Amino acid sequence: MAANPNEQRESSEDLLSVLRSRFGHDRFLPLQEEIMRSVLAGKDALALMPTGGGKSLCYQLPALCQEGVTLVVSPLIALMKDQVDALQARGIAADCVNSMMGPAHNRRAQMAAYNGQLDILYVAPERVATPQFRDFLHALKLDLIAIDEAHCISEWGHDFRPDYRNLQALRDNFPNVPVIALTATATERVRADILAQLRMTGADRFVASFNRPNLTYRVRPKRRTLEALVALLRDLNGGSAIVYCFTRQNTESLAAELAARGFKALPYHAGLEDEERREAQERFLRDETPIIVATIAFGMGVDKPNVRLVAHYDLPKSIEGYFQETGRAGRDGKPSQCVLFFSYGDKMSQEYFIDRIEDDAERAHARDKLSRMVAYGEARSCRRAFLLDYFGEEWRDENCRACDVCLAASEQPEQDDAHTYDATEIAQKVLSAVIRTGERFGANHVVDVLRGSQARRVRQFRHDTLPVHGIAREFAKEELQDIVDQLIDKALLARDTASEYPTLYVTAAGRAFLKKRETLTLVASTPPQENEPREPDGVLFAKLRSLRYEIAMDLNVPPYVVFSDESLRQMAAYFPTESDALLRIKGVGAHKLEQFGDRFIAAIRAYAEEHGIESCNAVPAAEPPPSGKAAAYRGPLSQTHARTLDLARQGLGIDEIAARRGLALGTVIGHLERIVESGEVLELTHVLPPEPRYARIVEAFHAANSDYLLAPVKERLDDSFTYEELRLARLRLRQIQLEPN
């Protein structure tokens, strides 16, 4: 036991001495010392501290200054072992009892606590409900009960767990043992409920600032989201990332997509086997797998200091949940990013589940929380101020300099003429379409009308007969959606979110713009070109990979022998549900069509029908392959690819092409990949890595026995080699494959 009753109470020097000797810190974080003094004085305490604010220390250090055991109740079973390991590494006697550890371990831990050999014992809330365990607790000398994630006891909290109501029995059974309730996210209503449920009305209350100055908050529209996420992940510079998704299926498919792009990524959700989940978490904590894709509902109880990015791929259910999850970023105090990909489609997905809540009050409460989350996504003012205000904290600075809204206001970048255009005419068309459709439809419907869609909903409202129907056919859907967003930013359009589905309406400023025929300049978007490959459906791609694996195991062959990942991506992009369409997918020949075609077509057709997706059997046709060589996809190049090809043929290097085109390096490499696959003749020598580096990369490709995946190749090289260099080397290898004999 570390406890020495003489090593306590009143002296700040004594507490600081324990902090230095046992935890290796030179100073307390705000409120930590005050909370510890309250606990050591035998008082109840409610501690609200942001994630990364040092909540755990508030009960761990006092446990070393007392003779008995500190009982810690935590819902994060997967995290308990990590916390215990960290404490034991500091020479602190700690252990845990939960369902993941096994009966033998749990018996040993309880015996150690009974014999006075433990300072801290972690348990799950459901364990406290059992009469046998409560009898065991009565045999201990309990000095303190710590209830972590205390918001779980409140129905008004974002993560209510009925098992937490069992903790009320602890007050009945141990009325003289002080209780400390800790949480990172609780509104004033939840705080009051925590105190009432645990009968802690006389507790000392400690509320630290919720501000995390090292975190930058950004909201991005949910369009071409995978490419945007990939760009963020490429900028991690050795850090880690957590990507939150709404469903287990989404975590699986997104992790697979990222892995296919060369990232080390694993899914993490409650549906995985315990061992899989434990292994994923350990690989993440050891930096072996820097990216975890996790469900919002399950949550990651990860105390990892170097998480540089927390991205929400889907909309969270509440501000509390979002704030807690973003709090995983930058726990070491270094700058980190929190990015939310926002769309109204996600709001509707959440509402689908909310509508199925039977209790009226609970359903209304869930709707209210979701509406606040949507308001955050729509906010045009400081996001930091929005978050702090939600938790009752005032933010006085006009500009936080660390959210997308404030950064845009402070930087006010001058727009390059090459990236802006006169949008007067298209803006007039968009505003007119909103008015003509009655200002009672969302952006997707208005865009469909502008592009001349014959969708059922357009015809149902006879909007195919309006004069605005089809007047913007030349614009891609993504371009028009971007224009709508910019018109909202300029207050010419607005969204009415009072109704069940958010609708667009033209503001007074928008009507004045139409009446006065003012000019308008907008920033040019970079939508995918019509001739560029379609984006694959991630969930279908994952299903097809599973089917391929099943077939490969039956045949006792590697999966790529059945179909390559590239073939599966094309299937997941074009949804071929007829034999002739599947035959046009790259890598599908007559023999494979006969062997596997029916099973893949059935899987694609079932998925399309389940999700109401129209099959697109117009798969780009490929020319017959030259004999003896792999076939290249020889569809026509788009204008943007042709411009890149022209610059490459002029002998410009990859960086020069990117600068000249105003494109990211990865985009230019993607153009070159498309150009080579099209069969165009192109000399690549001047864009390849220098010869010694190129030779080492080629050697690594051969050693990894990989002609597509980059991750196994990267593992065989040192950190000085970039993924861009690997892609270029892979491109040359592919070009050699395609060259005629």
Side-chain angles (χ1 to χ4, degrees):
M1 287 279 288
N4 179 347
N6 297 319
E7 190 188 276
Q8 60 183 8
R9 299 257 176 175
E10 302 300 332
S11 169
S12 295
E13 288 75 13
D14 289 342
L15 290 177
L16 192 58
S17 173
V18 179
L19 181 71
R20 286 170 177 159
S21 63
R22 308 308 293 273
F23 295 93
H25 302 311
D26 290 325
R27 60 183 179 83
F28 290 108
L29 295 176
L31 292 184
Q32 281 184 326
E33 184 176 354
E34 293 92 327
I35 294 169
M36 292 176 195
R37 288 190 173 284
S38 175
V39 165
L40 289 171
K43 298 180 181 179
D44 291 340
L46 173 65
L48 278 86
M49 305 173 77
T51 303
K55 294 188 298 297
S56 300
L57 193 70
C58 294
Y59 59 79
Q60 289 173 350
L61 193 149
L64 305 183
C65 300
Q66 302 185 98
E67 293 180 332
V69 177
T70 291
L71 180 72
V72 183
V73 182
S74 172
L76 303 173
I77 292 178
L79 180 61
M80 283 186 195
K81 184 64 166 58
D82 297 317
Q83 291 176 320
V84 167
D85 288 345
L87 289 168
Q88 290 178 349
R90 299 181 187 278
I92 297 169
D95 213 327
C96 59
V97 173
N98 63 54
S99 57
M100 287 179 64
M101 302 309 297
H105 173 96
N106 291 340
R107 282 194 297 271
R108 286 196 301 272
Q110 290 185 220
M111 184 58 67
Y114 177 79
N115 290 331
Q117 297 169 341
L118 289 186
D119 293 314
I120 303 173
L121 179 65
Y122 286 85
V123 299
E126 59 270 18
R127 180 81 48 173
V128 177
T130 64
Q132 298 92 331
F133 193 77
R134 284 207 294 268
D135 290 343
F136 159 71
L137 291 179
H138 278 291
L140 303 181
K141 183 183 185 305
L142 280 184
D143 282 334
L144 175 65
I145 298 171
I147 299 176
D148 205 5
E149 311 294 341
H151 57 271
C152 294
I153 201 171
S154 173
E155 290 186 3
W156 304 109
H158 71 283
D159 194 17
F160 171 61
R161 305 193 183 198
D163 283 331
Y164 257 62
R165 290 295 171 89
N166 298 327
L167 303 184
Q168 295 171 339
L170 286 175
R171 295 317 303 262
D172 297 332
N173 286 274
F174 303 96
N176 298 319
V177 177
V179 172
I180 177 172
L182 308 104
T183 178
T185 52
T187 61
E188 185 57 46
R189 186 178 194 178
V190 173
R191 298 172 206 175
D193 200 23
I194 292 170
L195 294 171
Q197 295 293 336
L198 294 173
R199 294 189 275 284
M200 296 170 58
T201 50
D204 290 341
R205 299 175 61 168
F206 302 92
V207 181
S209 172
F210 285 86
N211 184 36
R212 296 283 304 282
N214 61 312
L215 301 187
T216 297
Y217 300 97
R218 300 180 189 273
V219 175
R220 293 189 174 184
K222 196 170 184 179
R223 293 197 298 276
R224 304 200 77 190
T225 315
L226 182 59
E227 287 80 358
L229 176 62
V230 165
L232 290 168
L233 294 174
R234 295 221 185 279
D235 290 336
L236 281 178
N237 295 324
S240 296
I242 303 174
V243 184
Y244 284 105
C245 294
F246 184 50
T247 67
R248 299 176 184 182
Q249 191 176 49
N250 286 354
T251 67
E252 299 269 2
S253 59
L254 181 56
E257 285 282 5
L258 294 176
R261 282 163 169 76
F263 294 101
K264 292 181 179 179
L266 287 173
Y268 186 93
H269 58 74
L272 296 174
E273 295 293 331
D274 290 346
E275 186 57 36
E276 286 182 279
R277 207 163 58 239
R278 187 182 298 114
E279 182 181 355
Q281 180 164 308
E282 288 177 357
R283 288 179 64 86
F284 183 61
L285 292 171
R286 294 195 300 262
D287 288 325
E288 294 173 5
T289 300
I291 302 166
I292 285 289
V293 186
T295 49
I296 291 169
F298 188 69
M300 284 282 290
V302 173
D303 184 11
K304 192 172 193 291
N306 68 333
V307 175
R308 292 287 158 261
L309 170 69
V310 170
H312 281 79
Y313 208 73
D314 300 315
L315 187 69
K317 294 185 291 187
S318 68
I319 294 291
E320 292 99 325
Y322 173 72
F323 191 76
Q324 185 176 50
E325 287 146 12
T326 57
R328 306 289 174 206
R331 297 182 71 143
D332 56 4
K334 294 182 179 179
S336 303
Q337 300 283 324
C338 305
V339 179
L340 167 65
F341 291 102
F342 178 74
S343 80
Y344 282 94
D346 284 349
K347 173 180 180 282
M348 294 172 192
S349 297
Q350 296 274 14
E351 287 176 336
Y352 173 84
F353 292 98
I354 290 174
D355 288 342
R356 278 149 183 75
I357 298 174
E358 295 183 0
D359 183 83
D360 291 342
E362 185 181 347
R363 186 169 61 253
H365 181 56
R367 280 192 176 279
D368 179 61
K369 286 188 173 296
L370 180 60
S371 69
R372 297 299 299 273
M373 193 66 237
V374 171
Y376 172 82
E378 292 179 323
R380 303 295 172 187
S381 58
C382 176
R383 300 196 194 279
R384 187 178 305 275
F386 185 104
L387 293 171
L388 296 181
D389 177 71
Y390 184 86
F391 292 108
E393 182 176 345
E394 185 178 0
W395 177 261
R396 290 189 170 87
D397 290 351
E398 291 185 8
N399 190 313
C400 78
R401 294 170 291 281
C403 78
D404 54 340
V405 177
C406 291
L407 287 170
S410 59
E411 292 171 3
Q412 295 180 339
E414 295 184 8
Q415 294 173 341
D416 185 345
D417 290 341
H419 295 84
T420 62
Y421 67 103
D422 183 349
T424 305
E425 182 179 347
I426 186 58
Q428 291 170 345
K429 290 178 178 179
V430 172
L431 296 175
S432 297
V434 172
I435 292 172
R436 289 277 190 170
T437 53
E439 297 181 287
R440 57 191 186 93
F441 294 90
N444 285 336
H445 184 85
V446 173
V447 167
D448 282 346
V449 172
L450 286 163
R451 299 191 73 242
S453 169
Q454 291 295 326
R456 181 185 60 81
R457 187 168 168 81
V458 172
R459 289 184 282 106
Q460 174 188 344
F461 291 99
R462 296 181 56 79
H463 289 164
D464 55 329
T465 65
L466 295 175
V468 292
H469 185 258
I471 61 172
R473 294 179 192 273
E474 70 275 20
F475 286 84
K477 187 170 185 176
E478 291 83 1
E479 287 180 289
L480 289 173
Q481 288 173 328
D482 183 73
I483 290 167
V484 167
D485 285 343
Q486 292 193 59
L487 293 178
I488 291 173
D489 286 340
K490 292 183 177 293
L492 301 179
L493 272 180
R495 282 191 175 96
D496 180 4
T497 58
S499 59
E500 184 177 0
Y501 301 105
T503 57
L504 294 175
Y505 66 91
V506 179
T507 65
R511 293 180 183 274
F513 167 80
L514 286 173
K515 185 176 181 179
K516 296 176 183 177
R517 296 187 175 276
E518 299 169 341
T519 59
L520 180 69
T521 298
L522 294 180
V523 179
S525 63
T526 55
Q529 301 294 314
E530 291 298 326
N531 290 326
E532 289 188 26
R534 290 165 55 129
E535 183 72 20
D537 182 296
V539 177
L540 177 57
F541 176 68
K543 286 181 176 294
L544 296 178
R545 281 172 60 95
S546 296
L547 175 58
R548 180 184 65 177
Y549 180 81
E550 179 184 323
I551 293 172
M553 293 302 99
D554 288 343
L555 298 176
N556 196 27
V557 298
Y560 66 80
V561 170
V562 179
F563 284 126
S564 69
D565 273 2
E566 184 58 29
S567 297
L568 300 188
R569 281 197 188 85
Q570 280 201 11
M571 293 180 201
Y574 291 98
F575 290 82
T577 55
E578 305 294 341
S579 295
D580 59 342
L582 188 63
L583 198 56
R584 290 198 294 273
I585 294 291
K586 186 169 71 174
V588 181
H591 181 66
K592 286 192 176 183
L593 178 68
E594 183 179 350
Q595 273 190 301
F596 315 124
D598 288 346
R599 294 183 68 176
F600 280 87
I601 286 174
I604 295 166
R605 188 174 289 157
Y607 182 82
E609 290 174 357
E610 179 186 353
H611 293 83
I613 298 170
E614 291 187 14
S615 300
C616 177
N617 285 304
V619 180
E623 294 180 5
S627 60
K629 283 290 180 181
Y633 170 69
R634 298 177 182 272
L637 290 178
S638 66
Q639 290 184 354
T640 188
H641 291 121
R643 288 197 294 273
T644 297
L645 174 59
D646 181 58
L647 293 174
R649 282 177 171 166
Q650 292 176 34
L652 271 66
I654 192 77
D655 292 318
E656 294 176 286
I657 297 173
R660 186 80 64 89
R661 295 292 318 277
L663 299 172
L665 201 61
T667 302
V668 173
I669 297 174
H671 287 187
L672 295 178
E673 290 169 340
R674 174 70 176 83
I675 289 164
V676 167
E677 289 293 324
S678 74
E680 290 284 349
V681 177
L682 176 61
E683 175 58 51
L684 290 176
T685 306
H686 61 288
V687 299
L688 294 175
E691 179 54 38
R693 294 178 69 81
Y694 173 71
R696 285 189 61 190
I697 295 171
V698 171
E699 182 183 337
F701 268 99
H702 293 322
N705 194 25
S706 170
D707 60 0
Y708 181 79
L709 295 179
L710 299 179
V713 178
K714 187 76 162 64
E715 288 178 356
R716 295 174 181 272
L717 299 166
D718 61 61
D719 291 337
S720 70
F721 288 85
T722 66
Y723 275 105
E724 287 74 20
E725 288 180 300
L726 269 60
R727 287 180 68 185
L728 289 168
R730 180 179 66 183
L731 179 60
R732 176 55 187 152
L733 294 174
R734 177 61 175 152
Q735 188 181 51
I736 293 170
Q737 281 184 323
L738 297 172
E739 288 174 352
N741 288 324

